[in-house]
Amino acid sequence: MSQNELQFFLEIATLAAQAGGAVLKSYVGNLRDIQEKGRSGDLVTEADKASEAEILAVLERHVPEHRILTEESGELGDTNSSYLWAIDPLDGTTNFAHQYPFFSVSIGLLIEGVPQVGVIYDPFHDELFQAAKGLGATCNHRLISVSKTDSLAKSLLVTGFAYDRRETPDNNYAEFAYLTHLTQGVRRSGAASIDLAHTACGRLDGYWERGLSPWDMAAGIVLVEEAGGKVTAYDSSLFEMRSGRILATNGYLHEPLSQALMKTPPLSSWKNS
Ligand code: IPD
Ligand code: CA
Ligand code: CA
């Protein structure tokens, strides 16, 4: 893939993210239709759907031959294409429904299964994060890089909890407690794409989460890697999109965080002493 082609796809992803972001902004303070998607707490709003429609219109205009995977419409387009756009038209729906200002549009492009272009647009703060393989990562057109924090004791981390958290013992509560104990803090922003973007620009030192979908991670993976960070599975082995599990850090903290995740004690072993 030539740099010119990647640049071209980056521009399309940016147009689409900004189109979706403008729609989201128009619904701020103005949202009527909020529904549950089946699982308790998993919401969809009229803003998710309207943002997705705008994004799809942009892709249909520029790359009608590509394959698309979106949160609200599922799989679209040519299943034989080696280009797959993974799209979350509103990441942080729960925040959005409560008017808590952490949400974004996340648009990633996988080429031959590898995330190579990523744009995350946070319309409330007007922050545009862009990255493409080999071209670096930017926020509002300025180059960004991961932090240099090299010990868990000095780090600020972020994580999240999937919608199946009440149904599975593998719900990340024990990891959250253990890492809160070992670090300066663990945040829960409620938008996986923003967690990755903020790790890429050094506001946060590392991020882990389970139960994610490709549209939550694809764009952010490119951002973290292009900003000099590292993305793997929890145990530091090769990242697999299908697993839904991600460990993304500034690189320096990768091994310590991976090891902490692998040896997290069960919540029942905690004592107040
Ligand atoms: C969710 C957010 C949240 C994460 C969940 C995601 P949505 O996406 O990214 O931070 O913890 O696992 O599903 O539903 O707001 O698009
Ligand atoms: Ca999401
Ligand atoms: Ca979403």
Side-chain angles (χ1 to χ4, degrees), residues 32-240:
R32 280 180 217 102
D33 184 15
I34 305 174
Q35 287 167 21
E36 269 189 357
K37 277 203 271 192
R39 200 172 250 136
S40 156
D42 189 358
L43 307 177
V44 62
T45 74
E46 54 192 327
D48 298 67
K49 294 176 193 161
S51 168
E52 185 160 301
E54 281 298 311
I55 293 164
L56 289 175
V58 173
L59 295 188
E60 176 58 33
R61 250 194 323 275
H62 295 280
V63 284
E65 70 284 12
H66 288 185
R67 203 171 141 212
I68 296 173
L69 174 68
T70 77
E71 178 164 14
E72 308 310 334
S73 308
E75 287 214 42
L76 305 164
D78 179 1
T79 47
N80 292 319
S81 171
S82 45
Y83 297 88
L84 173 66
W85 294 82
I87 295 166
D88 195 336
L90 169 45
D91 187 36
T93 300
T94 307
N95 290 344
F96 192 83
H98 290 264
Q99 301 195 49
Y100 183 66
F102 281 94
F103 54 87
S104 80
V105 176
S106 180
I107 301 194
L109 173 63
L110 289 85
I111 305 173
E112 312 269 4
V114 180
Q116 305 213 22
V117 172
V119 175
I120 294 170
Y121 181 50
D122 167 352
F124 191 86
H125 301 97
D126 196 19
E127 285 196 318
L128 176 68
F129 294 91
Q130 298 168 292
K133 219 173 169 69
L135 298 180
T138 59
C139 175
N140 288 348
H141 307 288
R142 291 187 176 189
L143 276 177
I144 53 172
S145 58
V146 291
S147 70
K148 293 193 165 49
T149 309
D150 61 0
S151 75
L152 284 178
K154 290 186 190 147
S155 70
L156 183 64
L157 306 180
V158 67
T159 190
F161 306 94
Y163 294 111
D164 65 0
R165 59 186 175 264
R166 295 181 196 88
E167 294 134 39
T168 172
D170 180 20
N171 53 15
N172 199 27
Y173 295 172
E175 289 84 349
F176 181 61
Y178 187 47
L179 267 308
T180 298
H181 211 66
L182 297 181
T183 61
Q184 290 187 351
V186 181
R187 300 291 177 255
R188 194 293 197 240
S189 84
S193 59
I194 293 193
D195 297 340
L196 286 161
H198 288 190
T199 301
C201 70
R203 292 174 187 160
L204 297 163
D205 304 305
Y207 164 64
W208 81 92
E209 190 165 346
R210 59 160 291 281
L212 293 170
S213 299
W215 51 76
D216 297 309
M217 300 183 277
I221 288 170
V222 190
L223 271 154
V224 170
E225 290 181 340
E226 284 301 309
K230 189 166 173 181
V231 176
T232 67
Y234 279 16
D235 63 0
S236 278
S237 65
L238 210 63
F239 170 76
E240 290 223 30

